[in-house]
C-alpha cells in the first residue's frame, strides 16, 4: 500500500470508528426537575460514553402532553404511579426485559405488588415520597395539622403550594372526607367552593423548587414534595417542621420507564441499571432526599439522613397512592386553571 493509500485508509477507519458509537451513544431523558443530580448524569456518560440529553418537567400531565404531542422522542421518562398505570393502559410503555436490569434486585419488596404495575413489568421505582405541609415555626405559632389549617384567611399571601392540579384537588377532597380515588365530576363540583376560597390565599405556585420561597421567607407555609421539605429540615431544623396532613396525604412512587418508540433502548436499560447501583442511588438521595426504594442504597445513608422526618416519616400517617383517574383528568386541569385565573395568579 502506498503511503497515501494507507493514510486514506486510516482516515476512513477513524471516521467510521468515530461515527458509529456517537450515532448510537445518546440517551434522551425526560425527567422531573430537581430530581437527578448532574453528577449522576456525568458519571454515567464518563463510564459508558453515552451522552445524556436531559429535559425536565414539573408534572406528570406536562410529561404526558409532550409525549403525546410527538414533538420529541424520549428514551426514558419518569412517571408517578398513577401515570404509569395510565401509560400501561394506553400501551405507551415498553415491556421491560428484567435480564437487562440485574440491579433490579436492590428494589425493596414493598415496591412489588403495587396496583399500578405489580410485577414491575413496565416501570422501575426511582424515588418515593409524600406531599405534605411545611411550617415556618418562627412565624406560625398556631398548630397546623391538616389542609384546612393551612388555608386560613390569616395566612393569605403567606402560602406556597405545588403547581399541580391533581395534587391540589385531592387536598380539597380530603378536607371533605373524600379520598384520591373519588375524583369524579360530581365531587369536583362539591370541592369547587372550597378551592374558590383556598386559591386566592396562595402567594406562590411552584412545583420545581417550592423550598425556595420558604427559605427566603417570602412565605411561611407550604404544601410541597417531601424531598423539598427534607432539605429545609436538614438546613434549618429549628425553623421548619414537616407535617403529614391528618386527612391523609399522597404517597407517590416515581419510576423510570421506556416509552414505546424509544430510539436508544439499550442506553435506556444501561441508565436504569446504573441508577440502581447502591452507590449511585445513594448519591441521588444525597442531593434529593426522598424515600429511597433501593434497600442497598438505604444502608449507605447516614443516621441523620435516615432520621429526617420528611424523608423517612415515623408514626402512622395516613398515606395513599393515586390511581389513574381516566378522562376526568381534563376536568381537574380545567377547574384549577379557571380558579387560578379568577384569583389572579
Ligand atoms: C421532584 C419532584 C418529585 C416528585 N422535583 C413528584 N412526584
Amino acid at each position: 500500500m502506498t503511503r497515501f493509500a494507507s493514510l486514506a485508509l486510516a482516515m476512513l477507519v477513524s471516521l467510521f470508528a468515530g461515527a458509529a458509537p456517537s450515532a448510537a451513544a445518546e440517551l434522551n431523558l425526560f425527567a422531573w426537575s430537581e430530581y437527578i443530580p448532574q453528577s449522576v448524569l456525568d458519571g454515567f456518560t464518563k463510564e459508558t460514553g453515552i451522552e445524556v440529553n436531559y429535559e425536565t418537567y414539573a408534572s406528570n400531565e406536562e410529561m404526558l402532553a409532550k409525549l403525546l404531542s410527538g414533538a420529541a422522542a424520549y428514551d426514558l421518562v419518569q412517571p408517578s404511579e398513577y401515570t404509569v398505570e395510565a401509560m400501561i393502559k394506553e400501551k405507551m410503555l415498553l415491556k421491560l426485559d428484567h435480564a437487562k436490569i440485574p440491579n433490579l434486585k436492590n428494589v425493596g419488596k414493598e415496591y412489588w405488588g403495587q396496583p399500578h404495575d405489580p410485577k414491575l413489568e413496565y416501570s422501575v421505582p426511582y424515588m418515593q415520597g409524600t406531599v405534605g405541609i411545611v411550617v415556618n415555626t418562627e412565624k406560625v405559632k398556631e398548630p397546623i395539622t391538616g389542609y384546612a389549617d393551612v388555608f386560613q384567611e390569616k395566612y393569605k399571601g403567606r402560602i406556597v403550594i405545588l403547581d399541580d392540579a391533581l395534587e391540589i384537588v385531592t387536598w380539597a377532597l380530603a378536607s371533605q372526607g373524600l379520598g384520591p380515588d373519588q375524583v369524579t365530576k360530581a365531587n369536583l363540583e362539591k370541592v369547587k367552593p372550597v378551592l374558590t376560597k383556598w386559591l386566592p390565599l396562595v402567594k406562590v405556585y411552584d412545583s420545581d423548587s417550592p423550598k425556595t420561597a420558604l427559605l427566603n421567607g417570602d412565605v411561611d407555609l407550604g404544601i410541597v414534595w417531601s424531598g423539598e421539605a427534607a432539605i429545609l429540615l436538614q438546613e434549618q431544623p429549628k425553623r421548619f417542621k414537616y407535617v403529614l396532613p391528618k386527612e391523609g396525604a399522597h404517597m407517590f412512587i416515581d419510576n423510570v420507564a421506556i416509552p414505546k418508540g424509544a430510539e436508544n433502548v439499550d442506553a435506556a436499560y444501561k441508565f436504569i441499571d446504573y441508577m440502581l447501583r447502591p452507590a449511585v442511588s445513594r448519591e441521588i438521595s444525597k442531593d434529593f432526599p426522598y424515600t429511597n426504594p433501593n434497600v442497598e442504597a438505604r444502608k449507605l445513608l447516614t443516621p441523620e439522613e435516615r432520621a429526617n422526618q420528611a424523608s423517612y416519616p415515623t408514626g402512622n400517617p395516613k398515606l395513599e397512592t393515586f390511581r389513574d383517574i381516566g378522562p376526568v383528568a381534563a376536568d381537574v386541569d380545567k377547574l384549577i386553571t379557571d380558579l387560578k385565573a379568577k384569583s389572579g395568579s
Side-chain angles (χ1 to χ4, degrees), residues 66-282:
K66 183 107 189 253
L67 212 60
L68 289 168
S69 78
Y74 298 104
D75 303 312
L76 209 55
V77 292
Q78 211 175 24
S80 301
E81 76 288 358
Y82 70 97
T83 305
V84 166
E85 187 177 6
M87 294 175 89
I88 293 173
K89 273 190 205 154
E90 297 300 323
K91 303 197 184 331
M92 290 173 73
L93 296 178
L94 199 77
K95 194 159 180 184
L96 298 172
D97 177 358
H98 285 185
K100 293 188 173 154
I101 318 171
N103 286 320
L104 191 61
K105 65 178 188 305
N106 298 334
V107 171
K109 54 180 184 322
E110 64 271 39
Y111 299 90
W112 296 78
Q114 293 286 338
H116 61 276
D117 185 13
K119 294 182 186 159
L120 304 183
E121 286 175 296
Y122 298 91
S123 65
V124 173
Y126 175 77
M127 282 290 160
Q128 180 198 321
T130 55
V131 176
I133 303 168
V134 172
V135 182
N136 179 337
T137 58
E138 289 170 1
K139 296 286 174 61
V140 176
K141 299 293 178 190
E142 304 80 6
I144 303 287
T145 60
Y147 302 110
D149 297 332
V150 174
F151 295 102
Q152 298 189 68
E153 200 53 41
K154 62 181 166 191
Y155 300 131
K156 186 177 168 110
R158 296 166 64 188
I159 304 168
V160 57
I161 66 170
L162 297 174
D163 195 4
D164 190 300
L166 183 58
E167 296 290 352
I168 296 171
V169 159
T170 63
W171 311 334
L173 286 169
S175 78
Q176 304 303 302
L178 299 164
D181 54 342
Q182 286 167 290
V183 188
T184 59
K185 277 195 177 201
N187 285 335
L188 288 182
E189 279 307 312
K190 205 164 171 179
V191 295
K192 196 171 168 183
V194 176
L195 291 165
T196 305
K197 280 199 194 116
W198 284 7
L199 297 192
L201 308 174
V202 173
K203 181 169 189 191
V204 181
Y205 292 88
D206 186 356
S207 286
D208 293 309
S209 183
K211 63 180 171 304
T212 306
L214 285 151
L215 210 50
N216 294 344
D218 290 342
V219 295
D220 301 325
L221 290 148
I223 307 184
V224 307
W225 316 120
S226 56
E228 290 278 309
I231 294 173
L232 294 171
L233 264 50
Q234 188 179 297
E235 290 184 6
Q236 300 186 9
K238 290 209 178 86
R239 190 174 173 213
F240 294 110
K241 193 167 82 180
Y242 188 61
V243 179
L244 285 166
K246 60 173 186 291
E247 300 95 331
H250 181 199
M251 183 191 85
F252 55 80
I253 302 171
D254 292 334
N255 309 275
V256 292
I258 306 176
K260 272 192 188 158
E263 282 169 15
N264 305 290
V265 172
D266 279 347
Y269 273 116
K270 281 200 179 110
F271 187 83
I272 296 173
D273 203 54
Y274 182 81
M275 77 170 206
L276 286 171
R277 286 185 195 168
V280 173
S281 182
R282 190 264 170 279

Side-chain angles (χ1 to χ4, degrees), residues 11-67:
M11 278 169 70
L12 260 176
V13 167
S14 72
L15 200 79
F16 279 108
S22 68
E26 62 175 6
L27 175 72
N28 298 308
L29 173 62
F30 197 28
W32 286 88
S33 54
E34 304 282 315
Y35 224 12
I36 307 182
Q38 189 58 44
S39 61
V40 165
L41 303 180
D42 293 346
F44 177 71
T45 301
K46 197 166 172 207
E47 185 175 308
T48 62
I50 299 170
E51 290 296 335
V52 182
N53 307 313
Y54 181 36
E55 277 179 49
T56 61
Y57 56 85
S59 75
N60 282 293
E61 293 68 29
E62 181 186 345
M63 179 271 287
L64 267 184
K66 183 107 189 253
L67 212 60

